[in-house]
Amino acid sequence: MEELCTVPVNNINVVNCVCIVCSLLKKGFSSRNFEEKTDIINSSRLKDPINLETKVEKSAKKFTRHFQVGFYEKYEWLIGCKTLKKLFCWPCLLFNIAEKTHWNSDGITDLNNFPKSVKGHVNSKSHISARIKEKTFGTYRIEHSLDNHLKISNKLHNERVKKIGTSYND
Ligand SMILES: [Zn+2]
Ligand SMILES: [Zn+2]
């Protein structure tokens, strides 16, 4: 059962939203247990259409930029919440806990400077490191558990050898 979460928006409104982004904004990834973390990592990425637009005035021309679901294909790390009408970076939301940016806390709403903002973000050290952490999350755990498995089987082997040794001495 999903629990309703409450996220303060600009400290004025309170929005109730059950999406994974809002859930993570409320309770960070790092404070989840391993099962929750695995579920989050393995869940398919939210690709909701976001009703987000930015009015632009450029050299006497007025137009509106709209969010397009195609952005999700273009940027495989992009995620958004349709209730908040904001865009976020999925790996940074999960793994970039040291640095709070628009991409992992306030959310992105300005589509006019979007390409520029994306460019700056994808080249940032914290984003690159968050993406590596996301990609290697499962692998790291598997290696870790293989290592544990090896230790346990070595221990069992040693015990067996000891037992055989004892029986030979009898
Ligand atoms: Zn939400
Ligand atoms: Zn990022």
Side-chain angles (χ1 to χ4, degrees), residues 63-132:
F63 57 98
T64 309
R65 289 192 200 278
H66 297 270
F67 174 80
Q68 293 152 29
V69 280
F71 288 180
Y72 291 127
E73 307 309 318
K74 197 169 178 189
Y75 313 112
E76 58 169 27
W77 44 265
L78 188 70
I79 195 163
C81 166
K82 57 181 176 186
T83 313
L84 297 176
K85 292 181 188 169
K86 286 179 173 189
L87 301 169
F88 297 86
C89 171
W90 181 237
C92 286
L93 207 54
L94 300 179
F95 293 105
N96 182 9
I97 45 166
E99 192 192 0
K100 275 205 187 304
T101 68
H102 288 300
W103 290 99
N104 69 355
S105 66
D106 306 332
I108 297 287
T109 54
D110 182 6
L111 291 181
N112 189 29
N113 296 310
F114 191 68
K116 201 177 153 193
S117 182
V118 163
K119 209 174 174 189
H121 184 65
V122 294
N123 290 318
S124 72
K125 250 188 198 167
S126 56
H127 172 78
I128 294 165
S129 124
R131 288 210 69 181
I132 293 171

Side-chain angles (χ1 to χ4, degrees), residues 6-21:
T6 312
V7 179
V9 181
N10 303 331
N11 299 324
I12 309 163
N13 306 314
V14 170
V15 172
N16 287 319
C17 180
V18 293
C19 88
I20 185 65
V21 173

Side-chain angles (χ1 to χ4, degrees), residues 71 91 135 147 158:
F71 288 180
K135 294 275 176 251
D147 191 45
N158 289 341

